[in-house]
Amino acid sequence: DTGVSQNPRHKITKRGQNVTFRCDPISEHNRLYWYRQTLGQGPEFLTYFQNEAQLEKSRLLSDRFSAERPKGSFSTLEIQRTEQGDSAMYLCASTATEASTEAFFGQGTRLTVV
Amino acid sequence: DQQVKQNSPSLSVQEGRISILNCDYTNSMFDYFLWYKKYPAEGPTFLISISSIKDKNEDGRFTVFLNKSAKHLSLHIVPSQPGDSAVYFCAASVAGGGNKLTFGTGTQLKVEL
């Protein structure tokens, strides 16, 4: 297993367009997290899944954002009607079980909204 | 409201010397603390962690100290190596909180030859 995989690595989009990112967690990890990191800040929690159930969403996740994990394996994060303020690094992480505290992160998707 | 604070944006040390990175937190409900290292264009990599029931955890060159009364933790790297140059993030989680992490803003460590 090569770890958490995120695609694409980079995405440049025009304001108002929709974008979708994909995360493939470590195999058999049942928890999956999305974070967002802006310049000069640490990663900020967005949402997480246990298997296919989305258990929590941060107030940072406006109604333009939606995340899914339909079969409890990979996850997608969609941003509709992108705004320049959405420009950030979007990080995905997974943990083996609900008791695990050590999260393994992917390399992230760098989104630039122009 | 920054619940995890890393007040030093950068730190420079000489190779072979000790690096000490500091982190303060305000939320008394945090019960698990982690340090992550991040190289440019990569995701954070887990380094070391400590539970709130301990005051020290050591792993090779890395030691984390926790002072609950002061709500302070520190990461010691000794001896420092050039490959340790990276951004270090302190993170914390709350028991029963889904293990989601609250991160500090990071400290850029530069280990010079």
Side-chain angles (χ1 to χ4, degrees):
Chain A
D1 192 8
T2 55
V4 178
S5 176
Q6 291 189 245
N7 288 288
R9 293 288 309 278
H10 303 275
K11 178 70 177 179
I12 300 174
T13 190
K14 290 184 178 179
R15 189 173 50 189
Q17 297 294 305
N18 298 346
V19 294
T20 300
F21 312 140
R22 176 178 170 128
C23 171
D24 288 88
I26 293 173
S27 179
E28 298 183 1
H29 275 200
N30 68 16
R31 281 212 171 166
L32 186 148
Y33 301 79
W34 284 99
Y35 290 83
R36 181 176 70 184
Q37 184 179 14
T38 53
L39 199 62
Q41 300 296 315
E44 296 174 290
F45 168 77
L46 292 178
T47 187
Y48 85 96
F49 294 83
Q50 180 159 321
N51 299 314
E52 67 275 8
Q54 187 174 19
L55 296 187
E56 185 175 343
K57 293 191 288 187
S58 161
R59 59 181 170 79
L60 293 176
L61 214 65
S62 77
D63 56 7
R64 295 184 298 105
F65 288 69
S66 63
E68 295 183 338
R69 195 182 183 198
K71 295 183 179 179
S73 56
F74 73 91
S75 175
T76 57
L77 178 67
E78 180 183 17
I79 309 174
Q80 295 182 327
R81 305 181 304 280
T82 52
E83 301 173 355
Q84 286 189 318
D86 297 331
S87 296
M89 174 74 82
Y90 290 84
L91 294 162
C92 176
S94 69
T95 61
T97 69
E98 54 266 34
S100 304
T101 48
E102 176 188 331
F104 295 86
F105 283 82
Q107 293 181 303
T109 294
R110 168 75 65 191
L111 173 66
T112 302
V113 181
V114 297
Chain B
D1 177 26
Q2 192 73 27
Q3 298 185 62
V4 178
K5 302 176 185 178
Q6 294 177 257
N7 292 319
S8 298
S10 63
L11 174 67
S12 184
V13 298
Q14 283 193 316
E15 181 181 14
R17 306 294 291 267
I18 185 171
S19 295
I20 300 176
L21 295 96
N22 294 303
C23 178
D24 298 291
Y25 62 95
T26 58
N27 188 344
S28 302
M29 300 299 291
F30 287 143
D31 72 331
Y32 204 82
F33 303 89
L34 308 90
W35 285 94
Y36 280 82
K37 179 169 76 172
K38 187 179 184 303
Y39 294 117
E42 294 185 10
T45 302
F46 171 76
L47 200 54
I48 192 169
S49 62
I50 188 167
S51 164
S52 60
I53 62 173
K54 295 186 176 181
D55 54 18
K56 177 182 175 181
N57 188 29
E58 190 172 354
D59 183 1
R61 297 186 297 114
F62 303 93
T63 303
V64 56
F65 296 91
L66 175 63
N67 182 333
K68 287 192 296 291
S69 61
K71 293 190 177 68
H72 177 83
L73 63 156
S74 60
L75 174 67
H76 292 211
I77 306 173
V78 55
S80 300
Q81 300 173 353
D84 296 329
S85 297
V87 177
Y88 288 78
F89 289 100
C90 172
S93 66
V94 175
N99 290 333
K100 59 183 184 289
L101 299 173
T102 301
F103 284 84
T105 52
T107 296
Q108 172 76 60
L109 172 66
K110 184 176 181 181
V111 180
E112 299 172 321
L113 298 172

